[in-house]
Amino acid sequence: MKMRFLAVSTALVAATALTGCSLAGSAGGPQKVTLWLMKGSASDEFIAKFTTSFEKENPGVDLEVKIQEWTGIGEKVNAVLAGKSKESADVIEVGNTQVARYVETGGVDELTLEALREWDGKDWLKGLADPGSVNGAQFGVPWYAANRVVIYNKDLFANAGIKAPIKTRQEWIQATQKLDKGSQQGIYLAGQNWYVLSGFIWDEGGELAVETSGQWVGTLDDEKAMAGMEFYKQLQALGKGPKDADEETPPQSEVFARGGVAQIIAPPGQAAAIEAANPALKGKIGFFPIPGKTAEKPGAVFTGGSDLIIPERTKQRKNAVNVISALVSEKWQTELATTMSYVPNKTTLAHVVEGNEGAAAMAPGAAQGRATPKSARWAEVEAKNPIKPFMTAVVGGPGPKDAAEAAAATRSKRLSADP
């Protein structure tokens, strides 16, 4: 009996050795990894292709992609991070400017070593990487970027004898003055488009806010920030954009679609909305990077986009890291960028969108891109944005210094408020 038992045991050990973990895997089933992506970030086709490829390259892993709405996403993510949700996620797409808030709340896994060893983070776009880093540690992994460019009407430019792309601010003002005649607007720029203003401020060496001794202080009243605002005022005057409204009131794509506007400043994806509103403009829309102060460097831009985070509570950390490794690989960065007209997460991958006119126009600006201050309170600033009334006061007439000081004080208070 002892000899028989030994023989059976030996056979079992041999079978286990040959199949690795297959016995445990067959008993427990595949390892399920859940990826949360935001609605509209990737096409259904991309998600299906990525899922199939990932599962093929990672046998025994079942990748589940769940699409989330932006509305109310903060509460849902915080619940997962705190372990208070009935749902779970192993990798979560978040807005690049949201990372600091989630890190402060707690429950976000640090990925500094992976960023250095596996993802070559030195080439990441600054506008995605910086917001994902808190106190020198990397928590958010850049996934994709989108930023504003100049969208222009090719026919109106040709009629005025203007050749794009325009390289410098001075050339831009001169061309826009030439285009601004009669009922035709040289540019449609709403008085409260603070995303555009941010780039002009950064070009001047200014900041939206700075951190001093652990406290955030608004800096719109700084001379450099005021210089950016003055350029915005000069440009905004070369059209009929409302002084007391933002770019969505009314939607600037709708205004451009009427055919009497030479330029707007917007993500190139808005071209689709323009063409849908006015099919006659198909093939007549062009793009170029926002001009800089010199021809050598395009203007700074506000970088929108997404980072990827891993909750500390995940039970699938290794597989979660593998998911991110795949999503940020050159193969899938190229697929996403060309499919969705995004800018890839690295400056070294800018070439993959050269065939897409809109995305190619974004890439040079993305290399100069920035994001909002890394304060967990920034969302509170945007909720009742003091920058907008400041901008209206400047483009509408005198009193810019007083308005700037008031806006800076309001932002300082909100940024430094206790959680």
Side-chain angles (χ1 to χ4, degrees), residues 250-335:
Q252 59 180 348
S253 59
E254 294 180 5
V255 179
F256 186 92
R258 297 169 193 164
V261 171
Q263 309 168 83
I264 58 173
I265 303 171
Q270 286 200 13
I274 293 168
E275 292 175 351
N278 184 358
L281 288 178
K282 286 187 177 180
K284 299 180 179 181
I285 298 174
F287 314 87
F288 59 85
I290 294 174
K293 297 186 73 173
T294 66
E296 287 70 33
K297 188 169 72 172
V301 292
F302 174 87
T303 301
S306 289
D307 282 13
L308 301 166
I309 63 172
I310 295 178
E312 285 182 333
R313 295 176 181 272
T314 180
K315 296 179 180 179
Q316 295 287 341
R317 189 183 190 281
K318 181 179 179 181
N319 286 323
V321 168
N322 290 340
V323 169
I324 292 180
S325 294
L327 286 171
V328 302
S329 68
E330 182 171 353
K331 173 185 176 180
W332 291 106
Q333 282 289 296
T334 301
E335 181 79 19

Side-chain angles (χ1 to χ4, degrees), residues 147-154 157 164-166 256 264 266-272 274-275 283-290 341 356-362:
N147 52 264
R148 287 158 182 79
V149 300
V150 180
I151 299 178
Y152 70 97
N153 185 311
K154 292 181 178 180
F157 267 57
I166 295 167
F256 186 92
I264 58 173
Q270 286 200 13
I274 293 168
E275 292 175 351
K284 299 180 179 181
I285 298 174
F287 314 87
F288 59 85
I290 294 174
S341 294
N356 183 310
E357 188 180 359
M362 280 195 293

Side-chain angles (χ1 to χ4, degrees), residues 59-318:
V61 177
D62 180 6
L63 178 63
E64 180 183 34
V65 180
K66 290 188 175 181
I67 304 302
Q68 305 293 331
E69 298 282 349
W70 283 107
T71 303
I73 189 60
E75 291 76 9
K76 291 189 70 174
V77 172
N78 281 329
V80 169
L81 297 178
K84 298 179 179 179
S85 174
K86 294 181 180 179
E87 298 184 84
S88 64
D90 303 296
V91 180
I92 304 175
E93 174 196 352
V94 300
N96 59 325
T97 61
Q98 296 175 334
V99 177
R101 182 177 68 177
Y102 294 133
V103 171
E104 182 185 70
T105 301
V108 181
D109 197 22
E110 184 184 340
L111 298 166
T112 305
L113 290 179
E114 288 80 4
L116 293 172
R117 295 175 179 174
E118 299 182 32
W119 301 322
D120 200 15
K122 64 179 176 58
D123 294 323
W124 282 341
L125 295 179
K126 185 177 180 181
L128 295 178
D130 280 4
S133 173
V134 179
N135 296 326
Q138 199 71 39
F139 293 90
V141 179
W143 188 30
Y144 70 83
N147 52 264
R148 287 158 182 79
V149 300
V150 180
I151 299 178
Y152 70 97
N153 185 311
K154 292 181 178 180
D155 283 352
L156 299 186
F157 267 57
N159 293 340
I162 299 170
K163 296 182 179 181
I166 295 167
K167 296 286 188 177
T168 68
R169 278 190 185 181
Q170 184 178 4
E171 293 173 355
W172 195 17
I173 290 293
Q174 291 172 347
T176 306
Q177 288 172 334
K178 194 173 182 180
L179 289 160
D180 190 42
K181 56 183 180 180
S183 60
Q184 179 178 296
Q185 299 183 56
I187 189 168
Y188 180 87
L189 180 59
Q192 296 183 350
N193 194 330
W194 72 273
Y195 297 107
V196 173
L197 171 64
S198 298
F200 297 162
I201 289 175
W202 293 327
D203 277 342
E204 296 291 346
E207 299 288 347
L208 299 175
V210 296
E211 187 177 17
T212 303
S213 301
Q215 296 292 311
W216 284 93
V217 179
T219 53
L220 279 181
D221 53 342
D222 177 83
E223 288 185 7
K224 294 176 180 178
M226 290 300 298
M229 185 65 233
E230 285 300 323
F231 177 73
Y232 185 100
K233 179 180 180 179
Q234 184 181 7
L235 190 63
Q236 197 272 339
L238 299 176
K240 299 180 175 63
K243 300 183 187 306
D244 59 350
D246 63 23
E247 67 277 12
E248 290 300 318
T249 315
Q252 59 180 348
S253 59
E254 294 180 5
V255 179
F256 186 92
R258 297 169 193 164
V261 171
Q263 309 168 83
I264 58 173
I265 303 171
Q270 286 200 13
I274 293 168
E275 292 175 351
N278 184 358
L281 288 178
K282 286 187 177 180
K284 299 180 179 181
I285 298 174
F287 314 87
F288 59 85
I290 294 174
K293 297 186 73 173
T294 66
E296 287 70 33
K297 188 169 72 172
V301 292
F302 174 87
T303 301
S306 289
D307 282 13
L308 301 166
I309 63 172
I310 295 178
E312 285 182 333
R313 295 176 181 272
T314 180
K315 296 179 180 179
Q316 295 287 341
R317 189 183 190 281
K318 181 179 179 181

Side-chain angles (χ1 to χ4, degrees), residues 371-419:
T372 52
K374 290 190 290 185
S375 167
R377 308 273 75 76
W378 184 258
E380 296 169 24
V381 172
E382 288 193 36
K384 295 183 178 179
N385 200 327
I387 308 175
K388 291 185 174 183
F390 154 66
M391 295 178 70
T392 294
V394 175
V395 300
K401 188 66 174 177
D402 291 342
E405 290 175 354
T410 300
R411 257 193 306 170
S412 298
K413 181 178 181 180
R414 290 178 186 164
L415 286 170
S416 297
D418 292 331

Side-chain angles (χ1 to χ4, degrees), residues 21-44:
C21 297
S22 61
L23 290 178
S26 61
Q31 301 175 62
K32 181 179 177 182
V33 182
T34 303
L35 166 64
W36 280 14
L37 296 182
M38 301 309 299
K39 184 177 181 180
S41 288
S43 66
D44 292 341

